[in-house]
Amino acid sequence: MSWSTRELADLASTTVNTVRHYHERGLLEEPDRRTNGYKQYGVPHLIRLLQIRRLRDIGVPIAEIKRLDAGVGTSPEVLAAIDANLVETIERSQRARVEIADMLQHGSITDVATGFARVAPRLSASERSLTLIYSQLYEPEVINDVREMLDTDADAATVEFESLSADADEATRARLVEEFAETITKTLVNYPWIATPEAHLRRTPMSTAVTMVKTMHAIYNPAQLEVLERAAELARTREDLGRDPDPRT
């Protein structure tokens, strides 16, 4: 009993071209031919082809499959590498399922980072964009703090800052600087890592700083940038003044 190439391929749930490719790579022996020139494959060919397919199905590249006396195989190193990739794939799939569940529950929102879908309706367009940037720059533990910050009703200063027009007059800016500095001061007190974030960065401090500067200039107008800079400086001054004096002095 023998099979043609097409019959063998069908039995192994593969294609004729794949069988021919395995011949070319030296993984599958060429069979004898009938008098009419057609190949005649036997059970040993089918078994070896199924062995090759098994390795291919778990992700072993053809180049890493080795021909052995009793069939084919691969090295433990290759299998370990494939297993590590599978672990990453599974973790990525699990994160994707969490994200999809979040979107199904709160709406298919794609303009915020993972985990922010629930708070997205209360965020401005700029704040939504910032969640995406923060998620790439900061470690997950501080992203939880960011989500906590945003999961509260914005105070009047924040609301006014987010809607401040580029042509706001100096009186409006000066007043908002004072009010927004209070907001920033409270945030620095509640989340001290903001003042010294180096231990929580996913990128280098320089890369993070450059990315944040570019982002802020892209999402905020000149008036907002000026108010933010002045308010942050005022908040830092107030924070310094509020610290306990050094007992050694």
Side-chain angles (χ1 to χ4, degrees), residues 6-221:
R6 186 170 300 281
E7 289 170 334
L8 180 76
D10 184 60
L11 284 169
S13 300
T14 188
T15 66
V16 170
N17 286 338
T18 299
V19 172
R20 290 170 178 165
H21 185 56
Y22 294 159
H23 284 316
E24 293 171 359
R25 299 299 294 266
L27 294 175
L28 186 63
E29 297 175 347
E30 290 280 354
D32 294 331
R33 293 180 180 269
R34 300 188 181 94
T35 54
N36 60 7
Y38 286 102
K39 295 176 180 178
Q40 47 183 3
Y41 292 92
V43 171
H45 296 98
L46 176 60
I47 291 173
R48 179 162 289 194
L49 180 57
L50 291 173
Q51 291 171 340
I52 297 170
R53 292 303 305 158
R54 180 167 179 261
L55 292 173
R56 293 293 290 131
D57 286 345
I58 64 172
V60 178
I62 292 178
E64 300 296 340
I65 298 176
K66 300 177 180 179
R67 181 171 172 177
L68 306 174
D69 290 340
V72 293
T74 191
S75 68
E77 292 77 15
V78 169
L79 292 177
I82 293 172
D83 185 62
N85 287 335
L86 287 173
V87 169
E88 293 181 5
T89 300
I90 291 170
E91 292 176 350
R92 191 160 53 246
S93 297
Q94 290 173 335
R95 290 194 298 270
R97 292 199 66 198
V98 171
E99 177 75 357
I100 290 170
D102 201 30
M103 287 182 171
L104 288 173
Q105 181 177 0
H106 302 291
S108 183
I109 299 172
T110 59
D111 59 350
V112 292
T114 299
F116 286 83
R118 183 172 63 82
V119 302
R122 70 171 71 222
L123 304 182
S124 68
S126 298
E127 289 171 328
R128 291 186 179 205
S129 297
L130 283 172
T131 66
L132 294 169
I133 301 297
Y134 289 153
S135 68
Q136 295 302 306
L137 299 180
Y138 294 97
E139 295 291 350
E141 64 269 16
V142 299
I143 293 301
N144 291 333
D145 284 347
V146 174
R147 184 164 48 248
E148 184 179 272
M149 293 179 214
L150 297 174
D151 195 17
T152 57
D153 292 331
D155 60 18
T158 300
V159 172
E160 185 175 358
F161 170 78
E162 289 294 332
S163 60
L164 186 68
S165 64
D167 59 355
D169 59 38
E170 173 54 29
T172 299
R173 298 186 192 194
R175 176 182 52 77
L176 185 54
V177 165
E178 288 287 335
E179 296 175 0
F180 202 37
E182 289 292 335
T183 299
I184 295 175
T185 301
K186 292 176 183 178
T187 302
L188 291 172
V189 170
N190 293 331
Y191 305 98
W193 62 264
I194 295 176
T196 54
E198 290 77 12
H200 308 286
L201 301 181
R202 298 178 61 186
R203 305 288 189 271
T204 65
M206 178 60 73
S207 175
T208 300
V210 170
T211 301
M212 285 306 304
V213 168
K214 289 183 177 180
T215 299
M216 301 303 272
H217 280 78
I219 65 177
Y220 290 125
N221 64 49

